[in-house]
Amino acid sequence: MSGVSDKARFYLERAAPQLREFEEKEIFNKDEIKSLVTKRSDFEHLVLAPGCKPAEFLAYVEWERSLDRLRAKRCRRLNIRNSNSHASQARTFGIFERAVLKHPGCIPLWVAYLQFAAEAKASKRWRKIVTRALRLHPSNAGLWIMAGRRAAQSGDMERARAHFLRGCRFCTGESTLWLEYARCEMEWLARVEAKKAGNGVRNGVNVMEAIKATETTDQSADMIEFDSDSDEEEEDGLILPDPDANGGKMKPKVFDEEATKKLEQSPALNGAIPMAIFDIAEKQKFFGAPAAEEFFDVFAKFTNVSCQGKILQHVVAALEELYPNSPETCGCQVRQPLVGAGVQTAEFPKALRESLARLRAAMEKTDDKKVLAQKMTAWAQSVLSTEGLDVAIKTVLEHTKQSMEALSG
């Protein structure tokens, strides 16, 4: 244990300047500082001992963060302005670094590390962390989703697509990453159409300006590349590109009129990318009727995308060809007419009539009436929960729900 005690003393001595600051600025009194040292010493001995678990590192991190929150609260109350969280953040990063070095196979540790780096707005460190995590766990869909989502939220869909495509090469055993990629593309289409409609920019904006308003472009940053910096955390220079480079103000590309016309006619603006994701997913080993239904559910949520009907029909056509009598196919066929139909519109009763006609036909041909009845019960309940539903329509749906419940029981 002497080795553990020596290491614990080393890390405790590194925290001494912060404790002196607490005492000099009277943020904590001497008894409180003694208590802090004791608690920190307990944590250090715990995480340095053989056989320590990832949960113990996470508990240590949470304690350090709660201590910093208490420091900030007391500084506000005592009107102390020359105290910041830099020392606490540095300690927390150090604890996380020791944690992932000791438990490199623990995904929750990497995720917590990335979340903390994002909260601390440490963009460059975040890229290095996620690159190390992906090199160790290239088949983990959650890490690829974090990388792709961060790029998309920063407005760079080109880079987000690069991350998602790279991840899809590894994650062929489950649909999670593929569904998230499809959702990200639908969100991009929704943003472009919102900008074209004048939400956030001037009315009458063309397609090119709408796309510029939704994303930044930097072709040189869409690949994992070598960084020339040499920080102490850098292993061999391989890092993900920075979504926040230049403060998010990347220089836009210049398009002439011909390029703008081509872009306006681009299949990408008509749902080609989500349909291509679905088509490629068909060839993966995870694909089946349940996975196709999950794609349908993702696409069905984006009622503000003009090409939604085309995309949904593409999914339904594939289901009808591959699994014509499965409950998933029948369920999607029944739900399709009502997607995007508002309950207050004149089209809703007609769409509901079509859905109920399809339901009657589906119950005759499906392979599993019980499963389909369960799906339709949940569907009817979701429609009934919509506000502003007409009384007559509600009566019809309640009768349908009761009929389905009888079949599923």
Side-chain angles (χ1 to χ4, degrees):
M1 275 308 275
S2 60
V4 171
S5 298
D6 291 340
K7 290 179 182 178
R9 190 178 302 110
F10 168 76
Y11 288 113
L12 290 171
E13 287 174 355
R14 295 181 67 179
Q18 183 190 37
L19 298 176
R20 281 196 293 271
E21 179 191 357
F22 290 163
E23 185 178 6
E24 290 170 1
K25 296 178 181 177
E26 299 182 350
I27 300 173
F28 296 97
N29 59 42
K30 291 185 178 181
D31 291 336
E32 288 174 328
I33 291 174
K34 284 183 180 179
S35 177
L36 295 179
V37 172
T38 302
K39 187 68 175 176
R40 190 171 277 161
S41 176
D42 292 342
F43 273 119
E44 286 294 346
H45 281 83
L46 196 63
V47 300
L48 289 169
C52 76
K53 298 177 181 179
E56 292 164 351
F57 277 104
L58 292 174
Y60 191 6
V61 166
E62 184 54 36
W63 181 82
E64 284 286 353
R65 298 190 69 182
S66 66
L67 173 62
D68 189 57
R69 287 192 293 268
L70 179 59
R71 176 205 59 80
K73 185 176 180 181
R74 289 196 177 183
C75 286
R76 286 193 298 269
R77 180 164 57 84
L78 299 172
N79 199 24
I80 299 173
R81 299 185 179 180
N82 56 345
S83 177
N84 55 53
S85 61
H86 295 165
S88 176
Q89 285 184 358
R91 282 195 58 80
T92 305
F93 275 122
I95 296 167
F96 268 125
E97 192 64 28
R98 290 155 60 191
V100 295
L101 287 174
K102 197 161 191 176
H103 302 282
C106 182
I107 299 296
L109 266 181
W110 287 105
V111 172
Y113 195 2
L114 287 166
Q115 289 173 345
F116 176 73
E119 290 175 15
K121 298 182 180 179
S123 300
K124 188 171 182 180
R125 186 186 286 264
W126 192 96
R127 291 184 291 129
K128 292 178 179 180
I129 298 165
V130 79
T131 302
R132 290 167 56 197
L134 287 171
R135 291 171 67 185
L136 287 169
H137 308 281
S139 61
N140 184 270
L143 294 173
W144 286 110
I145 289 171
M146 290 182 75
R149 275 287 173 193
R150 184 174 172 85
Q153 289 167 4
S154 300
D156 193 345
M157 276 304 296
E158 187 175 355
R159 202 176 309 173
R161 287 174 184 135
H163 297 334
F164 277 118
L165 287 170
R166 201 172 293 120
C168 286
R169 296 175 189 169
F170 295 99
C171 304
T172 58
E174 58 176 348
S175 61
T176 307
L177 180 61
W178 298 76
L179 292 168
E180 195 63 30
Y181 184 18
R183 182 179 291 109
C184 189
E185 288 293 347
M186 294 296 288
E187 290 172 356
W188 177 77
L189 286 172
R191 288 198 302 272
V192 170
E193 295 200 7
K195 296 299 181 183
K196 285 170 63 179
N199 298 336
V201 293
R202 64 183 182 277
N203 290 326
V205 68
N206 62 34
V207 175
M208 191 61 253
E209 291 176 337
I211 294 175
K212 285 182 180 180
T214 59
E215 61 179 84
T216 57
T217 55
D218 185 6
Q219 286 184 320
S220 64
D222 66 343
M223 299 293 291
I224 293 180
E225 57 187 16
F226 288 93
D227 196 327
S228 59
D229 294 335
S230 57
D231 294 351
E232 64 272 14
E233 293 94 7
E234 188 165 355
E235 293 178 348
D236 56 6
L238 192 62
I239 61 172
L240 285 172
D242 182 9
D244 300 324
N246 301 325
K249 298 178 180 178
M250 298 179 184
K251 187 177 180 180
K253 293 183 287 187
V254 178
F255 289 85
D256 56 19
E257 292 183 6
E258 184 179 354
T260 302
K261 282 184 179 180
K262 288 181 180 179
L263 188 57
E264 288 175 350
Q265 300 169 357
S266 171
L269 298 176
N270 294 318
I273 298 179
M275 288 190 289
I277 296 169
F278 177 80
D279 290 340
I280 299 172
E282 279 187 44
K283 303 174 183 177
Q284 309 306 317
K285 57 185 178 181
F286 67 79
F287 190 82
E293 186 182 32
E294 289 178 327
F295 274 100
F296 184 94
D297 293 338
V298 168
F299 298 143
K301 293 178 182 177
F302 294 90
T303 55
N304 54 342
V305 175
S306 60
C307 58
Q308 183 198 42
K310 177 182 176 183
I311 298 171
L312 289 177
Q313 182 55 41
H314 183 78
V315 176
V316 171
L319 276 166
E320 291 172 345
E321 180 183 352
L322 297 172
Y323 316 100
N325 299 322
S326 73
E328 291 81 8
T329 301
C330 296
C332 292
Q333 289 172 330
V334 172
R335 292 159 50 200
Q336 186 182 9
L338 281 181
V339 175
V343 295
Q344 302 290 346
T345 63
E347 292 81 12
F348 189 81
K350 182 180 178 181
L352 180 60
R353 193 180 306 116
E354 174 66 21
S355 290
L356 294 177
R358 293 187 181 190
L359 176 57
R360 286 191 292 271
M363 294 304 296
E364 296 295 329
K365 70 172 185 176
T366 183
D367 294 335
D368 195 332
K369 289 186 178 181
K370 185 175 180 179
V371 173
L372 178 58
Q374 291 172 348
K375 290 179 179 292
M376 292 299 96
T377 300
W379 166 74
Q381 182 58 47
S382 66
V383 180
L384 282 167
S385 63
T386 307
E387 294 183 3
L389 202 61
D390 184 76
V391 176
I393 293 175
K394 189 177 291 187
T395 303
V396 172
L397 284 169
E398 286 175 349
H399 175 72
T400 304
K401 179 185 173 186
Q402 291 172 2
S403 302
M404 294 298 106
E405 285 175 342
L407 289 170
S408 62

